[in-house]
Amino acid sequence: MTSEEKYRVAVIGGTGPQGKGLGYRFARGGHDVVLGSRAAEKAEGIAAEVRDHLGGTTGAGPVGSVSGASNADAVAQCDVVLLAVPYDGHDELVASLPLAGKTVISCVNPLAFDKRGAHGRVINGGEGSAAESAQELAPEATVVGAFHNVSAVGLWEEPGFLDEDVIVVGDVVGAKQVAMALAASVTGRVGIDGGKLRLARQLEPFTAVLISINRKYKVHSGLRITGLGEPH
Amino acid sequence: MTSEEKYRVAVIGGTGPQGKGLGYRFARGGHDVVLGSRAAEKAEGIAAEVRDHLGGTTGAGPVGSVSGASNADAVAQCDVVLLAVPYDGHDELVASLPLAGKTVISCVNPLAFDKRGAHGRVINGGEGSAAESAQELAPEATVVGAFHNVSAVGLWEEPGFLDEDVIVVGDVVGAKQVAMALAASVTGRVGIDGGKLRLARQLEPFTAVLISINRKYKVHSGLRITGLGEPH
């Protein structure tokens, strides 16, 4: 099941593995993608790499365009913005972007690593998340959380759709529906409405569990929600 | 895949839906179960109900025994203890039980509910979980976290194995292996080693996301880990 509507998506952090991989999948699903980076030239180089990678795909329809720009220029060109940046520096970057009026999708995972492995970072005394921070820093944007748990390796290397689900959380249904539709480019199914934005507190650090499983079992694990039937 | 080893499991909170449902599944998997409650008579009544329910099953082998006892007596009779109690009152109850030397499995979900739905409660400023609290309160026990996300309705009503995964976290491999083996009674597969005990901070409140999905889609959702192959 794919959505008919095509979006133009700015990917902030588009030169990192998660941003590059999601941008690749969105373009493969027919959406236009503008990869953003601090340096426009670097974004343009990665965009060329994504276009090359798309050249080898046999999608159901035409692929979308992929270009590169500075982060601010990428946002200015798009109605939908994916935040795919590391949590370090996240707040300053979000505050610097012209996000008013945009649908903003955060896949940011605030994780910490030590000798015992990955674990969630505590945001706002346990009552916050990267997605909620973005909403506070960009109050005129509409922020949703999604795509937290998809593996960058799978996005780039797996030839077909990923065998997992994208859970979307947010307080505005229309904005959630954008992320749910984009999810079909990744999994072949619309995303799952997981509830309110504050549940990003649960989705973001769950990635630490998947990282732990990956290390233990030498796999690229994903998350699937059972019991919904097909198609949900 | 089922484990050969059979355990004797005390289910604290064995008269609640989660404890009753897990006790039913463990007995169906051939393990002996002692349901615990504050009042032994109440536990004995629920044990009779579970035995009746088991009478209708056609398992691969003989089912285990099911009896009822006071919480403390149930613990005294068993090497493995499942904590299936509400979070309210959890700490006082755990501190009161003779848990030294036991393998303790916590499926306790510290959740809160308001008009926006379910969400995770903040334990120890975001750096704690019910399972970690239990370990602190019973330092001579070995605590693991597991079975957080399985639906009580599915445990009791679904005729076959549940189409989901049990993720087990803990700091002692041998104790995790007990919970992983017991998981086969629920899902037909051993549980998944999800890492260290502190990751219970992620597993416990994830149940709020599943509750949110259940309300939205009118389903009993579960969690499955993809990418592990079969059998994992």
Side-chain angles (χ1 to χ4, degrees):
Chain A
M1 178 173 175
T2 53
S3 167
E4 296 302 312
E5 188 157 5
K6 299 307 176 192
Y7 297 101
R8 187 169 178 83
V9 186
V11 180
I12 307 306
T15 59
Q18 197 80 0
K20 183 173 90 166
L22 285 167
Y24 163 65
R25 292 283 171 166
F26 295 162
R28 200 167 137 176
H31 305 285
D32 294 320
V33 172
V34 184
L35 300 179
S37 183
R38 286 175 199 271
E41 305 75 44
K42 187 176 177 197
E44 285 160 7
I46 300 291
E49 194 186 327
V50 172
R51 286 194 301 270
D52 281 351
H53 200 44
L54 283 165
T57 62
T58 51
V63 301
S65 67
V66 182
S67 58
S70 71
N71 282 323
D73 283 353
V75 170
Q77 293 177 42
C78 300
D79 292 326
V80 180
V81 178
L82 176 74
L83 296 175
V85 297
Y87 183 65
D88 285 321
H90 166 272
D91 289 1
E92 296 75 9
L93 178 61
V94 170
S96 77
L97 294 173
L99 295 172
K102 310 288 183 183
T103 294
V104 175
I105 305 169
S106 170
C107 68
V108 177
N109 289 321
L111 300 181
F113 297 83
D114 61 20
K115 64 183 165 61
R116 315 195 80 205
H119 59 285
R121 284 170 68 161
V122 177
I123 312 293
N124 194 18
E127 297 190 323
S129 58
E132 290 168 285
S133 295
Q135 183 64 80
E136 283 162 26
L137 291 160
E140 294 178 72
T142 305
V143 178
V144 303
F147 302 107
H148 299 97
N149 308 131
V150 288
S151 142
V153 175
L155 288 168
W156 190 252
E157 293 182 4
E158 167 65 33
F161 289 123
L162 302 190
D163 177 29
E164 48 196 285
D165 280 311
V166 171
I167 304 173
V168 182
V169 293
D171 293 337
V172 177
V173 172
K176 277 198 278 200
Q177 286 171 336
V178 173
M180 291 163 70
L182 285 169
S185 301
V186 175
T187 64
R189 304 180 298 279
V190 294
I192 296 171
D193 185 342
K196 299 293 186 188
L197 187 65
R198 66 180 173 184
L199 293 178
R201 296 170 202 174
Q202 273 74 66
L203 294 184
E204 293 172 3
F206 197 85
T207 305
V209 177
L210 296 177
I211 290 171
S212 183
I213 291 170
N214 290 349
R215 288 195 180 171
K216 175 83 182 175
Y217 294 89
K218 316 289 184 211
V219 296
H220 298 294
S221 64
L223 197 58
R224 185 93 197 243
I225 301 296
T226 64
L228 283 169
E230 291 280 3
H232 51 253
Chain B
M1 180 173 174
T2 54
S3 168
E4 296 302 312
E5 188 155 7
K6 299 307 177 192
Y7 297 100
R8 186 169 178 83
V9 186
V11 180
I12 307 307
T15 59
Q18 197 79 2
K20 183 174 91 167
L22 284 167
Y24 163 66
R25 291 283 171 166
F26 295 162
R28 200 167 136 176
H31 306 284
D32 294 321
V33 173
V34 184
L35 300 179
S37 183
R38 286 177 198 271
E41 306 75 44
K42 188 177 176 196
E44 286 159 7
I46 300 290
E49 194 185 325
V50 172
R51 287 194 299 270
D52 281 353
H53 201 45
L54 283 166
T57 61
T58 50
V63 301
S65 67
V66 181
S67 59
S70 71
N71 283 323
D73 283 353
V75 170
Q77 293 177 44
C78 300
D79 294 325
V80 180
V81 178
L82 176 75
L83 296 175
V85 297
Y87 184 66
D88 286 321
H90 165 272
D91 288 0
E92 296 75 7
L93 178 61
V94 169
S96 76
L97 293 173
L99 295 173
K102 310 288 183 183
T103 295
V104 175
I105 304 169
S106 169
C107 68
V108 177
N109 289 320
L111 300 180
F113 296 84
D114 61 22
K115 64 182 164 63
R116 315 196 80 205
H119 59 286
R121 283 171 69 162
V122 177
I123 311 295
N124 193 19
E127 299 191 321
S129 58
E132 289 168 285
S133 296
Q135 183 64 79
E136 284 163 25
L137 291 160
E140 294 179 72
T142 304
V143 178
V144 302
F147 303 107
H148 299 97
N149 308 130
V150 288
S151 143
V153 175
L155 288 168
W156 191 252
E157 293 183 3
E158 167 65 34
F161 289 123
L162 301 191
D163 177 28
E164 49 197 282
D165 281 309
V166 171
I167 303 172
V168 182
V169 293
D171 293 336
V172 177
V173 171
K176 279 197 278 198
Q177 285 171 338
V178 173
M180 289 163 71
L182 285 168
S185 301
V186 175
T187 64
R189 303 181 296 280
V190 295
I192 295 171
D193 184 342
K196 299 292 185 190
L197 187 65
R198 67 179 173 185
L199 293 178
R201 297 171 200 173
Q202 272 75 65
L203 294 183
E204 293 172 2
F206 197 85
T207 305
V209 177
L210 295 177
I211 290 170
S212 183
I213 291 170
N214 290 348
R215 289 195 179 170
K216 174 81 184 178
Y217 293 89
K218 316 291 184 210
V219 296
H220 298 295
S221 63
L223 196 58
R224 185 95 197 240
I225 300 296
T226 64
L228 284 168
E230 291 281 4
H232 52 252

